Amino acid sequence: MGGARCLQLVVQHRNLFLMLFVLGIGGTFQYGYHMSVLNSPSPRSSFSHEGRAGACSVTAFIKQFINDTWMRRYGTRITDGSLTLIWSLVVSVFSIGGLIGSTASGYLTGRFGKKKCQLCIAVLPLVSAVLMGLSQTVDRIEMIVAARFLSGFYSGLGVNIHAQYVGETAPRKLRGFINATGPLFVTLGKLCGQIVGLKEIFGTEFLWPQVLLCSSISSLIQLVTLPFFPESPTYLLLVKGDKEGCLKALKQLWGDRDHQPVIDEMMKEQNNTQEKGKRMGVLELLRDNSNRCQLLTMIGLFTSLQLSGANAIYFYAYDVFHEAGFPDDQIPYVSLGVGSFELVSAMICGWSRIFITVMSGNSDRSPQEEAAVLGKPGTAPGAASSAVFCLNISADDAEDGAVPERSQVNIESAGSDESTICGKCMYGASYGAIIKSLLIDRFGRRVLLLGGYSLMALTLALLTVTLAMQEKYFWMPYCSVGLTFTFIFVYGAGPAGATISTCVEIFAQAPRVPAFVISGVFGWVGLYILGMIFPYVVVSWNLYI
């Protein structure tokens, strides 16, 4: 019965799932790819880097190229301090581009629409791939910096567009799963970035300039296929006032059935927005007390994600594993295993939501209608014992525009027989024994976030101990890599999987765009600081980073 429902769901929304893939490879995939592609270690090729025997990776090839170019220009070998500074610039300029792209996303998507913006920025990966590919030929370090800047710009813009686009095209019953595809494509991009950096592909002295080829191919696929999919139905109706276009888009993505109730909900939100005045911008959102709690929650979640330590592992994967004592010829595959592990954890987090949808028989009923059917608001019969994270504005009400005056965090837990869950966030689960093993329903977002960060902190503390004692016991390095795998798994299944989804769902349509602009500023500034200071922190603190 569950398999038949799943098949029916896929067939009915086949165009929606296809569009999710097209958006993903040109959206958050690009962010994940560029986070790891320049840090994918590969074994020694033909030279020694920074005096380290056997130290050779895409990072090492670029540093060697910087050193050779410096010698040809100035007739002397570059100092370690200058090399570290230039390399930090190459890494962190990606964040500067991302900050600009994220900041500009609000204006560009409001003016031209999400589909047109995504199509325009799909050209930029082709340009950055050409710049990187020709950098060695023309002997210009500046071309690598320019390529990284463009990569950051379209990644910053693409992450915001992707999150908003999929959030506005998702039906209520698939909203949790679809919002979770953003982190899934981030981890897929990280894994692909590690794969292309292997010596068997582009991780060699002569082929490293082609590492952005995969990014350009995925963007080319999006450039060719995205025109066949519609603009966001919400944008068409609320911004353009195109009711016929909105209805056509809904039929293409959700199937040919009656979508008038959905349009009525959108019109209700538009009326609520008009009553409050003009369209909400960044300054209006900052002054709006009714969205203050959601905004602070969003900023806190993104800042915590940046400071969690996961980005540092992907930025400087070689240094982390080299200091852990692993042989250079094994480091690329250890890193690849870590990326694969994070992808698996993200898939568990995402696919658990679609299983919840299928097994619970969820429909497009509103929370009020669901409560009326159950007979008792806030009670889900047969649900597994759980704790559910809920802000006073839920995923469903966020789309309806029902923004409360004040948001509160409600946490309810019950005994082993049944759980009392906030009525606006209930899943209506009827197969408790099956759903009990699935992460999202079993723990809820709040527990995944707080519990995830707690386990990550404990894992990092243990990792520090194993790194300090690795010379005393021959088996200690294996404990280090095991803890690294554990850290990445908890990160992917917990905070990484729940953060973006939560941030999309707690905002209504009007404040969602400026909210992502604000959170993007905090996220990219944090990423820039990380990229600039991390090399110096490694030198000063060593394993205690």
Side-chain angles (χ1 to χ4, degrees), residues 263-539:
I263 295 179
D264 292 339
E265 291 177 358
M266 294 181 185
M267 294 299 298
K268 178 183 177 182
E269 177 181 347
Q270 185 181 41
N271 295 332
N272 293 338
T273 303
Q274 290 176 349
E275 291 176 0
K276 293 183 178 181
K278 62 181 181 179
R279 288 181 58 196
M280 184 172 291
V282 173
L283 294 179
E284 288 78 8
L285 177 59
L286 292 174
R287 298 191 189 106
D288 186 11
N289 292 328
S290 64
N291 287 287
R292 185 69 50 78
C293 181
Q294 294 98 306
L295 184 61
L296 292 176
T297 300
M298 188 180 203
I299 293 174
L301 289 176
F302 274 103
T303 304
S304 300
L305 206 62
Q306 291 293 342
L307 299 177
S308 64
N311 287 333
I313 290 178
Y314 283 103
F315 262 141
Y316 300 100
Y318 177 84
D319 297 292
V320 171
F321 288 112
H322 182 83
E323 293 298 331
F326 291 97
D328 295 319
D329 58 346
Q330 295 180 12
I331 289 178
Y333 307 102
V334 174
S335 299
L336 190 61
V338 172
S340 303
F341 215 54
E342 184 181 356
L343 179 63
V344 170
S345 64
M347 292 178 65
I348 292 175
C349 183
W351 282 104
S352 65
R353 299 186 179 203
I354 197 168
F355 271 110
I356 291 170
T357 299
V358 172
M359 300 308 295
S360 64
N362 246 356
S363 66
D364 286 334
R365 290 191 295 254
S366 67
Q368 292 80 6
E369 292 171 332
E370 192 78 31
V373 171
L374 292 174
K376 183 179 180 182
T379 303
S385 176
S386 63
V388 177
F389 170 69
C390 165
L391 283 104
N392 208 18
I393 175 171
S394 70
D396 300 331
D397 287 340
E399 293 296 320
D400 298 339
V403 183
E405 290 301 319
R406 184 177 180 182
S407 295
Q408 298 175 344
V409 177
N410 300 322
I411 307 169
E412 308 239 359
S413 59
S416 58
D417 293 329
E418 70 175 16
S419 293
T420 302
I421 304 176
C422 175
K424 293 185 179 180
C425 289
M426 72 176 72
Y427 290 110
S430 57
Y431 292 86
I434 299 176
I435 300 175
K436 184 176 180 179
S437 63
L438 303 175
L439 289 177
I440 297 295
D441 185 62
R442 178 63 179 89
F443 298 108
R445 290 187 182 92
R446 185 175 188 270
V447 174
L448 283 179
L449 289 168
L450 296 180
Y453 281 124
S454 299
L455 289 176
M456 288 163 63
L458 177 61
T459 303
L460 289 177
L462 294 175
L463 183 60
T464 303
V465 174
T466 58
L467 289 176
M469 301 178 64
Q470 64 183 4
E471 296 181 358
K472 297 183 178 180
Y473 305 97
F474 74 93
W475 46 266
M476 197 61 74
Y478 299 99
C479 294
S480 299
V481 76
L483 290 171
T484 302
F485 272 69
T486 302
F487 176 85
I488 290 299
F489 181 82
V490 174
Y491 169 81
T499 296
I500 295 181
S501 176
T502 301
C503 292
V504 171
E505 294 172 356
I506 62 177
F507 284 100
Q509 167 67 18
R512 184 180 296 135
V513 174
F516 269 87
V517 171
I518 295 172
S519 66
V521 170
F522 278 86
W524 287 104
V525 168
L527 205 59
Y528 171 78
I529 296 174
L530 173 68
M532 285 299 297
I533 70 172
F534 193 82
Y536 302 99
V537 174
V538 170
V539 174

Side-chain angles (χ1 to χ4, degrees), residues 233-246 267 270:
T234 306
Y235 174 83
L236 290 173
L237 183 64
L238 301 186
V239 179
K240 289 298 187 180
D242 185 3
K243 185 176 179 180
E244 293 299 324
C246 174
M267 294 299 298
Q270 185 181 41

